[in-house]
Amino acid sequence: MSQPALLASRLGPAWPLLVLLSLCVAGTLPQARAQDAAAREIGWRASGSGGAVTAGRSREVVSAALDVLAEGGNAADAAATSLLGLSVTEHGLFASGGEVPLLIYDAKRKEVKVLSGLGRAPLDPRAIEWFYKNGIPSGGSMKSAPVPGMLHLVTTLLIRYGSVSFERAVGPTLKILDRKDRKSRNWHPRLAVTLRRLVEAERSTKGSRAEKIAAARDRFYKGDIAEELEKWYISVGSFLRRKDLAAHRTLLEDPVTVSYRGYKVHKCGPWTQGPYLCQTLSLLEGYDLKAMGHFSADYVHTVVEALKLSMADRDEFYGDPEFVKVPLARLLSPGYARMRRGLIDPQRASLLRRPGDPLAGLALRGPQVATARQYTIPVQDTTTCLAADRFGNVVAATPSCNLVGNRPGPPGVTQGNRLRSLNTTLGHPNRIQPGKRPRITLTPTLVTRDGKPVIAISVAGGDLQDQVTLNVLLSHIDFGLAAHEAVVVPRFATSHHQGSFDPNPDRGAAFISPGGLTVHKDVPEPIRRELTARGHKLRVVGGAIAHPVMLVIDPDTGVIHGAGDPRVGRSIGVLSPVP
């Protein structure tokens, strides 16, 4: 007897009904799977009401972070999951021992805060003496490695703002590390062991979720993993030691904030380059940019000249505020902006380096000759990370590591060369000191309006980051472009500033290109000719100028519109997609 006939004889009259039910269930399964698949969308642009994530170029990491949101996790959980995953999938641009400045809008507290996921210089004064005697290596060296900041940042983010365990956040990363395929690397198993030891510490600790996560963090910074890191440091000539790891903290700070055309733009402090974006916006608020026309010669010229003034102040005054008194209040004051605005010649590009004198209340500290140089220092960073949830929380982060040849150690951890963003210029606010944070280029952006988050931006691109953020912001705020339009229109940036990766004690020699202006080839030729006539030293490129991603949030509907420049493979994922 056949199997169906045998089942029919045993089930009797119920057999036809069961067959019908099984057919109905079988018919609904593909439909249910299709509905599940339709509940999310991943691409270079997407809109949704259930949350959104951008994570570099990795759709796999985006999908893993969306899973966390779909399970009820929040933006902090999704960002932590993304950062851990990106440290593997974007290795070379970011790494497990890298840096992450992060901004978060907390919907419960209705506030924006900064998490400083940035490591510091060694505490040993002898190490600092070595740097002043020999210089800070700029071409790739573990001597230029700061304390690893990423894992402390991720665990602090989860403790203060998250809802999931470290084990849940790191799970997708472990799956990536465990795979045996063409993308696997010889350090993957070593890093997997290290991360599983953190999970073990979390599991074995009694107490609250926060206490468990803190135990995982302490095992890395104070326990047996710290011992292994120290052995590695000694073997490769790094100045870092266990006391540096044990002393490390992820600081919780207030953002630097400026108003611009009804919006509030929030940036990390002067241990990043972020505040100069605020200074530039203050300068530009005195102009009717829309009347000039998008990508007109007047528009590009005015924006670039404002950038030159703000970046001169960046190079002159910014540094770790725990070590130097940065005159931010005066740099951001309306009166200072009015004085500095008067220095902009509407017809001629400045070829001078022109920092102001906010303490003396003067528009100009004294123009300084800017000399051109051949900038040969290698730059290798960064990636991007944004997350927003249906509860109203938003995270913007700019993860990086600046590897430049540094290799993973025995624990699988990779650290970069970020100390080369300091210098050995006596009296300079960004000179190297024990335990000091370098003034970095990494600079995420959060924008609020009427107290609600409406824009988040992350850009990869060194000294280009806030210049491209400015491009994107102005395209959206002043010219009304949607997110997917703002990230693809032609961009421009100036090289009229000091190189942030050059530790040269002669800061004049660190200047890159007086009057230098890079524009995309899609800026019309007549505009380019006019800019050249005004004295700008033009360089025309066909590729992307930095790598932006952007979220725009409708505060009334909660719909999140996201986009990343498709020319550089940026991915956006959303839950509950909408057209």
Side-chain angles (χ1 to χ4, degrees):
M1 183 180 292
S2 68
Q3 191 172 17
L6 180 63
L7 283 170
S9 66
R10 289 181 177 177
L11 294 172
W15 166 248
L17 179 60
L18 289 172
V19 170
L20 180 62
L21 285 171
S22 65
L23 289 172
C24 291
V25 170
T28 60
L29 283 176
Q31 182 180 359
R33 291 193 188 103
Q35 288 174 345
D36 288 343
R40 67 178 61 192
E41 180 181 345
I42 300 176
W44 76 268
R45 57 174 290 197
S47 298
S49 59
V53 174
T54 77
R57 300 166 299 183
S58 175
R59 292 192 173 209
E60 182 176 14
V61 174
V62 169
S63 183
L66 289 176
D67 288 342
V68 172
L69 290 179
E71 293 166 9
N74 61 30
D77 301 320
T81 302
S82 296
L83 291 168
L84 289 163
L86 287 171
S87 72
V88 176
T89 63
E90 303 275 276
H91 190 265
L93 305 177
F94 181 42
S96 53
E99 304 85 41
V100 189
L102 182 146
L103 286 153
I104 183 166
Y105 176 83
D106 181 353
K108 289 183 178 179
R109 298 182 178 94
K110 301 185 186 305
E111 66 181 12
V112 177
K113 287 290 185 181
V114 172
L115 291 177
S116 174
L118 174 60
R120 299 170 181 269
L123 293 168
D124 189 347
R126 293 172 297 180
I128 307 304
E129 290 174 8
W130 187 94
F131 289 126
Y132 279 96
K133 181 179 179 181
N134 299 280
I136 303 171
S138 62
S141 170
M142 277 297 291
K143 280 186 166 55
S144 297
V147 176
M150 189 275 282
L151 280 167
H152 205 288
L153 176 284
V154 164
T155 50
T156 302
L157 178 66
L158 287 172
I159 288 170
R160 181 172 174 84
Y161 295 106
S163 64
V164 303
S165 65
F166 177 78
E167 182 174 9
R168 175 64 187 90
V170 81
T173 304
L174 288 171
K175 288 181 181 178
I176 295 170
L177 291 171
D178 289 343
R179 279 204 306 255
K180 307 296 183 186
D181 59 22
R182 63 181 180 84
K183 294 183 179 180
S184 63
R185 301 290 182 266
N186 60 9
W187 52 269
H188 282 191
R190 305 200 303 272
L191 182 58
V193 168
T194 295
L195 294 176
R196 284 194 166 93
R197 288 158 74 185
L198 302 185
V199 172
E200 290 171 5
E202 181 183 45
R203 284 179 177 176
S204 62
T205 299
K206 296 181 179 179
S208 65
R209 184 186 68 91
E211 289 169 329
K212 289 174 174 288
I213 296 173
R217 181 177 65 196
D218 287 348
R219 185 168 187 181
F220 185 91
Y221 286 92
K222 299 178 181 178
D224 54 346
I225 297 172
E227 291 180 9
E228 293 176 12
L229 288 170
E230 183 179 60
K231 291 178 183 177
W232 173 44
Y233 296 153
I234 293 170
S235 70
V236 294
S238 169
F239 294 120
L240 295 173
R241 296 294 184 265
R242 284 190 66 184
K243 67 177 181 180
D244 298 298
L245 294 165
H248 181 72
R249 298 290 182 273
T250 297
L251 299 183
L252 181 71
E253 302 175 345
D254 291 324
V256 176
T257 302
V258 70
S259 296
Y260 181 75
R261 308 204 198 284
Y263 294 83
K264 287 192 178 296
V265 179
H266 307 278
K267 300 294 291 182
C268 300
W271 49 273
T272 74
Q273 65 176 336
Y276 96 73
L277 176 69
C278 298
Q279 289 189 244
T280 309
L281 290 170
S282 294
L283 289 168
L284 293 176
E285 193 158 32
Y287 295 92
D288 188 347
L289 299 179
K290 189 173 183 180
M292 294 179 183
H294 209 193
F295 297 106
S296 68
D298 286 343
Y299 169 72
V300 175
H301 174 83
T302 302
V303 172
V304 167
E305 293 304 296
L307 282 167
K308 291 177 183 177
L309 293 175
S310 299
M311 296 185 85
D313 282 346
R314 177 201 77 170
D315 295 339
E316 192 77 8
F317 297 109
Y318 290 11
D320 185 346
E322 290 195 323
F323 287 77
V324 294
K325 189 173 182 179
V326 182
L328 269 182
R330 297 196 183 190
L331 287 168
L332 295 171
S333 69
Y336 184 70
R338 281 193 300 271
M339 287 191 299
R340 298 282 279 165
R341 198 178 296 131
L343 297 175
I344 296 177
D345 184 332
Q347 297 301 320
R348 291 301 300 172
S350 172
L351 302 182
L352 298 174
R353 192 175 81 84
R354 299 188 292 174
D357 195 340
L359 296 176
L362 299 175
L364 202 57
R365 195 169 192 172
Q368 302 172 30
V369 175
T371 56
R373 58 166 300 214
Q374 188 67 33
Y375 196 73
T376 58
I377 291 176
V379 178
Q380 183 187 10
D381 67 345
T382 298
T383 189
T384 49
C385 178
L386 303 172
D389 61 37
R390 66 182 184 274
F391 312 115
N393 305 294
V394 182
V395 171
T398 309
S400 186
C401 198
N402 223 316
L403 299 188
V404 194
N406 285 2
R407 302 296 181 188
V413 175
T414 312
Q415 293 177 230
N417 286 262
R418 194 64 63 180
L419 294 185
R420 67 184 183 156
S421 287
L422 292 156
N423 61 59
T424 52
T425 308
L426 293 177
H428 194 280
N430 192 39
R431 71 184 182 94
I432 194 165
Q433 295 172 264
K436 190 175 187 177
R437 291 176 290 180
R439 198 280 295 155
I440 57 175
T441 57
L442 312 175
T443 174
T445 305
L446 269 183
V447 182
T448 56
R449 192 168 197 179
D450 299 325
K452 296 182 178 180
V454 292
I455 302 170
I457 298 172
S458 181
V459 178
D463 281 310
L464 299 173
Q465 287 181 28
D466 267 334
Q467 299 194 62
V468 169
T469 296
L470 182 66
N471 277 226
V472 172
L473 268 181
L474 296 179
S475 291
H476 177 69
I477 293 175
D478 288 80
F479 295 95
L481 272 61
H484 69 276
E485 297 168 320
V487 299
V488 298
V489 293
R491 298 192 284 273
F492 55 89
T494 181
S495 50
H496 185 98
H497 56 78
Q498 293 175 9
S500 292
F501 304 94
D502 188 346
N504 195 323
D506 179 358
R507 300 313 294 159
F511 204 87
I512 299 177
S513 178
L517 173 58
T518 301
V519 299
H520 192 269
K521 64 180 179 61
D522 289 343
V523 174
E525 175 63 28
I527 304 301
R528 302 197 316 245
R529 285 199 303 267
E530 173 60 25
L531 291 168
T532 299
R534 296 190 193 190
H536 296 281
K537 311 300 182 186
L538 246 64
R539 183 173 73 100
V540 180
V541 298
I545 299 174
H547 305 172
V549 292
M550 182 183 197
L551 300 180
V552 175
I553 304 157
D554 186 325
D556 296 323
T557 65
V559 173
I560 306 161
H561 306 280
D565 192 333
R567 293 168 294 186
V568 290
R570 301 290 132 174
S571 296
I572 309 291
V574 297
L575 296 179
S576 303
V578 298

